[in-house]
Amino acid sequence: MPTTQRSAATRYFSGTYAEARAKFLEAAAQRGAAVESFVLEAHRGALGEELATDVALIGAIDAKKLLLVTSGTHGPEGFCGSGTQIATLNDADLLSRLEKAGVALLLVHAINPHGFSHLHRTNEDNIDLNRNHIDFNAALPVNAEYADVEPLVLPATWPPTPADEAAVAAYVQQHGMTAFRAAVTKGQYTSPDGLFYGGTAPSWSNGTIRKILRKYAASATHIGWIDVHTGLGPYGHGEKIYPGRNTPEDLALAHAWWGADVFAPFAGDSASADVSGPVISTAYDECPNAKIAPMGLEFGTLPDLEVLTRLRADTWLRRHPEAPEAQKREIRAQLRDAFYCDNEEWKGMILGQTRVVLLQTLQGLRKA
């Protein structure tokens, strides 16, 4: 790949949350976007920096058709999502097409700024935000199997002993890999310092994304929402995951916009588990009169079980703040690498596939 292409792909990505935020705000200002910041007042970043979810709007705030792109739902996955958003702000051709079609572009940068900065997939309260957007006035979802797997995946010491790994293997042999992954990842509401914890109340990020939708999507009759993720599936491949309602009409809309290669977790054909409470589900609450086409755009990094092992390590570390500093640094670096492949090839794959999806979404909105 020529040097000019390499540098073009790389310059949109960042090495820290602070750098990503600065690049995003600069690119938004250069485009003349309307910018608003929602500051997480009670916490600071890993470098002592302010933490915020930043919004950039290009187009009319009362636009009927809205293309929404979000990043950083899962902390360090924001390195990828931020890069795609900054690239979009630098894509004059795409922005021109949006303007001509009368489609507004809303970019929400770092839904989980704390996790982005501190290199945790979860937020400041160890909440997985894609398990937190549920009706907390109703009974909490039940994941009875999680209690059985937690002692296996979060052993007393790290790294796991051969006996610990043998116990996990025995569970998988008895119940199957699909059941094991579902028990661990679909979401649980009983162990606050455990894996994939959904919380017992709406998180700060939950309230923030709802405020953003009420302000910037209130007039929309059609919304295409792309939430950028990493960590599942083959290296560099962007799986189009449908996280919306299980209705024939909604599924047909997703397939009409994005093609046959849209996979729904509830159908069992996606790299993702059928999780409780994804962020994208807030659109149905806050924009009840709009037709909504949601997508989780999931880019693969490392093999799935390796990613899960690194998540286990990170959760173990939260339980063991007394761990040696060298071990803390190693676990955090490995978690970052599980969700962000800091190389030219991977970044180029991400930017190319994201642009295709955004063009498809624009076409869908234009024809709606």
Side-chain angles (χ1 to χ4, degrees), residues 257-290:
W257 284 20
W258 297 310
D261 58 333
V262 173
F263 299 97
F266 53 73
D269 58 4
S270 170
S272 172
D274 189 11
V275 305
S276 54
V279 172
I280 265 177
S281 64
T282 55
Y284 297 113
D285 299 332
E286 306 301 336
C287 310
N289 298 318

Side-chain angles (χ1 to χ4, degrees), residues 93-114:
D93 176 72
L94 176 60
L95 296 177
S96 176
R97 291 170 185 252
L98 287 164
E99 182 181 11
K100 289 176 182 176
V103 175
L105 174 66
L106 181 66
L107 303 175
V108 180
H109 186 269
I111 287 180
N112 174 10
H114 188 277

Side-chain angles (χ1 to χ4, degrees), residues 101-180:
V103 175
L105 174 66
L106 181 66
L107 303 175
V108 180
H109 186 269
I111 287 180
N112 174 10
H114 188 277
F116 194 166
S117 179
H118 289 276
L119 302 180
H120 293 299
R121 185 176 187 272
T122 51
N123 79 341
E124 57 275 9
D125 300 312
N126 193 44
I127 291 172
D128 184 310
L129 296 182
N130 258 3
R131 279 75 175 165
N132 183 247
H133 295 75
I134 62 173
D135 180 2
F136 283 101
N137 293 317
L140 294 174
V142 175
N143 179 0
E145 293 76 20
Y146 180 78
D148 295 328
V149 298
E150 184 180 86
L152 307 181
V153 295
L154 295 176
T157 61
W158 198 268
T161 66
D164 294 330
E165 297 291 40
V168 172
Y171 184 96
V172 172
Q173 184 175 14
Q174 180 180 357
H175 299 278
M177 181 58 73
T178 300
F180 169 71

